[in-house]
Amino acid sequence: MTGAARFDPAVADIRWQRRWDDERCFIADTDSAKPKSYVLEMFPYPSGRIHMGHVRNYTMGDVLARYRRMQGFEVLHPMGWDAFGMPAENAAMERGVHPDGWTRSNIAAMRDQLKRLGFALDWSREIATCDPEYYGHEQALFLDLYDAGLVYRKESEVNWDPVDQTVLANEQVIDGKGWRSGAQVERRKLSQWFLKITDFADELLDGLGALDDWPDKVKLMQENWIGRSDGLRFRFEAAVQGASRGYPWIKAALSQSPRIDVFTTRPDTIFGASFVAVAPDHPLARAVAAENPDAAAFIAECKAGGTSAADIETQEKRGFLTGVEAVHPLDRDWRLPVWIANFVLMDYGSGAIFGVPAHDQRDFEFATRHDLPIRRVVARPDQDADTPIGDEAEPGEGVIVNSRFLDGLSVDEAKQAVIRRAQEEGWGSRKKAYRLRDWGVSRQRYWGTPIPMIHCSSCGPVPVPRDQLPVLLPQEVTFDTPGNPLDRNDAWRTTICPKCSGEARRETDTFDTFVDSSWYFIRFASQPVDRPFDKADAEKWLPVDQYIGGVEHAILHLLYARFWTKALKRIGRLDIDEPFKGLFTQGMVTHETYRGNDGRWIGPDEVRADENGQLIDAAGAPVERGRVEKMSKSKRNTVDPEPIVARHGADAVRWFMLSDSPPERDLEWSEAGIEGAARFVQRVWRLAAGCGEADGQDPDLERKAQRTIAAVGEAIEGLQFNKAVAQLYELVSAIEKAKPSATRTQAVRTVVKLAAPMAPHLAEECWEVIGGEGLAVDQKWPEFDPAMLVEDEVTLAVQVNGKLRDTLTAPRGLDRAEAEALALSSEKVQRQLAGAAPRKVIVVPDRLVNIVA
RNA sequence: GCGGACGUGGCGGAACGGUAGACGCUGGGGACUUAAAAUCCUCUUCCCUCGAAAAGGGAGUGCGGGUUCAAAUCCCGCCGUCCGCACCA
């Protein structure tokens, strides 16, 4: 039997995609009797066109979804759109389009692109977070959390652009300046809505222990992010420095804050304290600033620059001496100066610390700058109490010195001793502190889910009654001035208080888009019209068995989704502990960068090589090859998948995405790579098209095929697609070399099935040409006979002193003495030994003999 | 600043502590062809011995130590690169 000379993806792809659609292959049946498998990739932001990163991500998920389906699972593999967010507003400002229209046309375009790649998706469950049918339910869930006491309002800092008079996202702050205005950004306080994720800190932390199918690195990152640490919370009594007596701000400060609460994870170093420092937001700092213009000026300086952790923590450590003193709790005569310091965070612990310069690097830098004492209180075995501290702090273990009743104790013993004493004497207690902060969900933006609250001047904030949901985003908005258009939309903003019926105004902030993505996987599983999800249906599918996405979401999105799930469980809405049973974080797609003489970036499609191999641009000017970097618009090193798919077909692109690079690492896009993949697709096609019926057995090929079935299955289970690809190359080569036989014909069928999850259109075309029944997509995943995997003969590696000297073929199952005798009979071994008797011989059965001379 | 990862031929990468470099790409040589494309065969870590081939020897997994009969793999210390840091998604 012979088919067409070439596999033509332009025809085949569309044909089979239509067929799968007609047969409703990928519609998930919630009532199926089969075991379920929920495969999910992180849904995309509809930026306009899909990029190679999407193709890689969705190809991986697709391979797994199709593989599970062939294994007999009822598979849920849905797709949707994370459709709210800033880019739509930016487009509105720059191009005068409406965010809604812009987003919806992007979705339409990207949906077509995804369909062109032949993913096994259940499009009947498609959702977009900007649909009121989605975000209305989200508003209802938020109100459920509000009713459960998990929502509250507090002041929080935002980046404020004083020229544009608008709030900026961290990414809009560049080197401390606004991205459009270029003005120095300030930190400003706004009253905002928060979710009590810290209530779940222990659950979120302890839950990580059961996530066996998550990468260790992600669990570790979440653990560090939650940052639970044990320590001592205690208070310093505030006093007045002699010379400062009579300054008005001291009195104000003391009346405001007669005690200063501090938290420390190192109570053992309490005798090494040389100062106390409070955050610029601390009540004591504010009280001082109210009376002292210099302090106010210092605090204002601290407010300059962005709110991001990297911005704040890389600032130089600076302080302002208040004149207030703190009384050391273990010695009433010992006074510590109290500073306002820019490196103390109000959000962690109690917003105040005691500084131990000898054993904390930040305190060390601060003390050095302000000429404060640096006293050693921990000594390593090679040090004593008088060893001076070098040019950096010593945070490590040791024995306590210079610390009165603690001297001679270990760090740990001293911690316990101090905590015990504090509790006995009543000035402090053991306390856990978390780095995790509550989740601020308010955004001062239009294109997001409206927060369903109403502000009434007499009743305060009042939830929108359920029967008034969804609170719709108004369509009539303008973007001609910076800031949130909802604030200027009086018609929308003005409403009636549900409680007192007085005039009130709507909350004009919208949700952080992470709220939208914190429950979409539940809505995929169950989408009734009248409520967010049906509990029983959602629980049939959840948890997601395999979740796949970028490692950039390792902390925030994944933590928020876990929190949301646990919160729904607490309020009785969903009996699921963890949303994602398995997690995989894939690497990025990268590409070489190119620059012209003038330093401007040049896109790969404008670069070609001239006859001498010199790279030139479209105008013939020389181009310099830069480093390989993540594809990004700014570096112009993106490759648009669409023309590549049009040229090589979906399967070649999919195949290339899976080849070579391990999926967790970066993949470098290359022309040669995609061409190699396209060649392989044709090679498989030729193999199938040229394969006829034949008789006879081929045991070697049979064994190879069986091994490949085992290896490819194992590789896909472990999401090691590059290994699955390599295995298929080997089997295809072996079949090509083999003479016609019944075994060979069978092996071709095996190849088609093994390749089906990765190159599904090719598989259908091949399946048809070799006369397979039904569709390739519906075939059962092939089974293998474990007995067939074992070879009768093994290759023994023979080493002398750990160096390979010979390899010998031996029957399997040789005992130690036989293996040793065989190894010693080797001429090469004898030459190495040169007559010397072996001192020791190590035998690893069926693998290796190492002779130690 | 804090946190996380990664580092193996010309390139992407394989390798339960046990034969380093599977498989792919690139490149060289050859076959088929009037020619090209396509396809197929073959070689391709580096250095040395050798006229050549066969064969042999040495070195080698970022750098420096250590554990072990045996280390790409485990431990300690460096160096380099990348990613995240709460309002990008």
Side-chain angles (χ1 to χ4, degrees), chain A residues 618-848:
Chain A
V623 169
E624 200 172 323
R625 196 185 300 266
R627 12 188 301 173
V628 174
E629 300 203 53
K630 175 182 179 174
M631 284 189 182
S632 74
K633 279 186 188 155
S634 64
K635 302 224 167 72
R636 302 195 58 200
N637 63 337
T638 56
V639 172
D640 187 350
E642 196 169 287
I644 308 278
V645 174
R647 180 152 162 232
H648 298 284
D651 289 336
V653 176
R654 294 166 59 113
W655 189 260
F656 176 56
M657 285 288 133
L658 301 167
S659 312
D660 296 352
S661 284
E664 69 277 11
R665 279 206 226 167
D666 290 352
L667 169 74
E668 189 188 342
W669 176 267
S670 73
E671 206 44 45
I674 181 66
E675 280 164 12
R679 262 201 305 275
F680 181 74
V681 167
Q682 295 299 341
R683 208 170 138 197
V684 173
W685 167 249
R686 280 196 304 275
L687 192 60
C691 170
E693 294 297 324
D695 291 324
Q697 298 300 308
D698 185 340
D700 285 345
L701 185 62
E702 176 63 14
R703 188 176 292 119
K704 181 76 192 165
Q706 294 274 320
R707 290 185 160 204
T708 306
I709 293 170
V712 170
E714 196 184 338
I716 294 178
E717 292 281 354
L719 304 170
Q720 298 171 306
F721 305 110
N722 56 321
K723 290 195 206 169
V725 163
Q727 288 292 332
L728 276 165
Y729 273 114
E730 283 196 41
L731 180 56
V732 166
S733 290
I735 295 173
E736 284 170 344
K737 290 191 175 76
K739 295 200 167 60
S741 66
T743 309
R744 189 177 185 275
T745 305
Q746 186 57 36
V748 171
R749 295 171 73 91
T750 301
V751 164
V752 171
K753 290 190 220 171
L754 295 183
M758 301 185 252
H761 312 87
L762 171 72
E764 295 293 358
E765 202 79 4
C766 290
W767 190 247
E768 188 181 52
V769 80
I770 62 179
E773 271 182 43
L775 290 171
V777 71
D778 290 329
Q779 297 309 304
K780 231 176 123 245
W781 187 254
E783 289 179 354
F784 63 92
D785 176 4
M788 288 289 289
L789 306 185
V790 186
E791 296 271 14
D792 302 332
E793 290 198 322
V794 295
T795 307
L796 271 187
V798 181
Q799 300 178 332
V800 176
N801 292 330
K803 272 191 192 299
L804 182 75
R805 292 301 172 186
D806 204 355
T807 53
L808 303 170
T809 304
R812 196 166 57 82
L814 230 52
D815 70 25
R816 284 170 184 276
E818 289 169 330
E820 183 176 334
L822 184 66
L824 285 170
S825 71
S826 158
E827 197 182 303
K828 290 170 187 170
V829 169
Q830 286 305 323
R831 198 173 346 153
Q832 284 295 325
L833 289 174
R839 285 195 292 134
K840 189 176 176 184
V841 178
I842 282 138
V843 178
V844 181
D846 292 336
R847 287 197 79 96
L848 164 143

Side-chain angles (χ1 to χ4, degrees), chain A residues 153-156 189-193 442 444 507 509:
Chain A
R153 203 163 162 76
K154 77 166 176 185
E155 295 246 293
S156 168
K189 294 232 165 187
L190 287 183
S191 188
Q192 311 199 56
W193 293 102
S442 300
Q444 296 68 44
E507 171 67 63
D509 286 353

Side-chain angles (χ1 to χ4, degrees), chain A residues 542-555:
Chain A
L542 289 165
V544 173
D545 292 277
Q546 185 64 58
Y547 196 34
I548 306 177
V551 70
E552 67 272 19
H553 294 294
I555 297 172

Side-chain angles (χ1 to χ4, degrees), chain A residues 594 603-611 613-621 623:
Chain A
Y594 308 96
D605 45 351
E606 298 163 50
V607 176
R608 61 196 170 85
D610 68 10
E611 54 278 9
Q614 162 71 44
L615 294 180
I616 51 170
D617 67 10
V623 169

